[in-house]
Amino acid sequence: MKKSEKIWMDGEFVNWNEAKVHVLTHALHYGSSVFEGIRCYNTIKGPAVFRLDEHVKRLFDSCKIYRMELNYTEKEIKEAILDTIRENRLKSCYIRPLVFRGYGEMGVNPLNNPLHVMIAVWEWGRYLGEEALEKGIKVKTSSWSRMAPNTYPFLAKAGGNYLNSQLAKIEAVLDGYDEAVMLDTDGYVAEGSGENIFVIKDDVIYTPPTYNAILKGITRDFVIKIARKMGYTVREERIPREMLYIADELFFVGTAAEITPIKEIDHYKIRENKITRKIQDKFFEVINRCDPEYMTKV
Ligand code: PPE
């Protein structure tokens, strides 16, 4: 990864190389962390953050689910994020706020361990490869299912959830694919290891509903809104696996992945991407012209 200069740790800026934790940090042993992934873009009005309010709200929701009581308000965290971008003098970057249980006691019970917050920013290009946005990617259905209801809460963006994602991603990469599509425990389409998925069939746009073992993605929400504004029918409904194979178009969305077309799934070719392109263009148009409905200036 590309290093920046400073990381915000519990209210102070520390040098990138000195932003360290103890090896007995609770989160290292038990996955007790929640985080966000946000992007700042260089727009015609200067650097601006895409859907900052929504991301910070989701971070606080994740904390609530895991009973992590922050000593900061949402407003303070938003300010800290903007300050961290300014401090590093970056025009566009990826933003990673992380809340984690620290060093103190050992054992599963996390309630007596200190809670820490850090915010890192760095330049991060194309998540799924240089040409992913233009040419599309190859994916496979994972042999691993997304977590079942009442196991790990999927509405929390928690560090531990990404063990499940890692298994799927590792399998996909070792098998020669760019990314995995995961099903829920009933066999319905859920999401990618780090993206939400959309399916287009006969000009109707489908995406799995929030109860289908998915992270309630902020890019997903944006795509649903703008696609409807563009006149498309968007349906949040359960998607059987084979629907992916007969789709006209398929694409992934997420902060890191942005809008990435899928050109092949399980060796079935997906030949079109007309509507995907239109949505992708709209996404970058909203960002580049710094639409105040979605963008917060740094
Ligand atoms: N599902 C998962 C499992 C997921 O991790 C992400 C984001 C999404 C859907 C899309 O959510 P949103 O970013 O709100 O549109 N994944 C983040 C982390 C990726 C990583 O490798 O780290 C991201 O895109 O920032």
Side-chain angles (χ1 to χ4, degrees):
M1 70 188 295
K2 197 162 174 190
K3 283 188 195 177
S4 302
E5 285 174 35
K6 302 276 185 189
I7 291 179
W8 187 99
M9 277 181 95
D10 297 322
E12 279 167 40
F13 286 114
V14 297
N15 290 329
W16 180 280
N17 287 336
E18 280 140 38
K20 293 177 181 169
V21 295
H22 196 277
V23 289
L24 295 175
T25 293
H26 200 272
L28 279 179
H29 295 253
Y30 308 112
S32 29
S33 67
V34 298
F35 69 96
E36 270 307 315
I38 316 172
R39 271 193 197 264
C40 169
Y41 289 91
N42 194 12
T43 74
I44 54 163
K45 293 179 193 157
V49 179
F50 184 65
R51 309 203 79 182
L52 180 61
D53 288 2
E54 286 80 0
H55 280 285
V56 171
K57 226 173 240 152
R58 189 172 65 187
L59 182 68
F60 276 68
D61 284 347
S62 298
C63 285
K64 188 170 184 191
I65 290 171
Y66 281 100
R67 301 181 197 279
M68 294 171 160
E69 287 184 28
L70 281 177
N71 286 324
Y72 300 95
T73 61
E74 288 183 31
K75 191 162 176 280
E76 285 167 335
I77 294 295
K78 278 185 244 178
E79 269 315 310
I81 288 171
L82 297 171
D83 280 347
T84 310
I85 301 168
R86 289 183 203 117
E87 182 75 16
N88 285 282
R89 298 185 302 267
L90 290 171
K91 293 207 161 38
S92 63
C93 58
Y94 184 82
I95 306 157
R96 170 56 54 82
L98 174 81
V99 178
F100 63 99
R101 308 270 195 191
Y103 162 70
E105 289 186 8
M106 260 303 149
V108 170
N109 177 12
L111 296 175
N112 298 320
N113 288 54
L115 200 59
H116 298 286
V117 188
M118 81 88 198
I119 301 162
V121 298
W122 68 90
E123 288 177 58
W124 199 0
R126 299 285 176 243
Y127 183 60
L128 293 162
E130 265 320 303
E131 298 186 323
L133 263 61
E134 294 73 39
K135 299 206 168 143
I137 58 166
K138 289 185 187 180
V139 306
K140 74 165 275 176
T141 306
S142 185
S143 66
W144 293 96
S145 299
R146 206 80 182 117
M147 48 275 196
N150 210 29
T151 58
Y152 306 92
F154 38 77
L155 293 183
K157 194 168 170 62
N161 291 0
Y162 287 81
L163 283 172
N164 175 257
S165 290
Q166 285 181 54
L167 289 168
K169 182 81 185 190
I170 290 168
E171 180 188 71
V173 169
L174 291 180
D175 287 350
Y177 298 84
D178 301 303
E179 181 55 295
V181 174
M182 304 186 74
L183 308 178
D184 67 10
T185 47
D186 290 327
Y188 291 94
V189 177
E191 60 178 346
S193 75
E195 313 84 1
N196 292 115
I197 192 166
F198 282 80
V199 180
I200 306 179
K201 179 75 178 164
D202 298 330
D203 294 331
V204 176
I205 304 176
Y206 301 86
T207 198
T210 45
Y211 56 78
N212 245 170
I214 64 167
L215 179 72
K216 195 168 181 288
I218 290 162
T219 320
R220 172 188 177 277
D221 174 75
F222 173 82
V223 166
I224 292 171
K225 283 198 173 89
I226 54 154
R228 284 187 178 145
K229 263 195 204 163
M230 289 161 81
Y232 293 105
T233 304
V234 184
R235 294 205 188 126
E236 293 179 67
E237 63 181 48
R238 275 183 151 180
I239 298 170
R241 173 180 181 163
E242 62 276 21
M243 176 111 163
L244 302 178
Y245 303 151
I246 57 170
D248 298 325
E249 304 185 33
L250 286 179
F251 60 98
F252 273 139
V253 309
T255 299
E258 300 171 310
I259 313 276
T260 301
I262 295 170
K263 64 178 177 189
E264 201 180 304
I265 171 153
D266 298 338
H267 302 287
Y268 291 93
K269 299 256 189 291
I270 306 296
R271 297 187 198 280
E272 288 184 41
N273 62 17
K274 262 199 317 260
I275 299 174
T276 307
R277 282 278 172 249
K278 282 187 193 156
I279 291 169
Q280 199 187 45
D281 288 348
K282 194 80 196 166
F283 173 75
F284 286 114
E285 186 199 311
V286 163
I287 288 167
N288 290 335
R289 74 175 145 83
C290 200
D291 185 331
E293 201 181 329
Y294 300 106
M295 307 298 289
T296 304
K297 285 176 70 176
V298 174

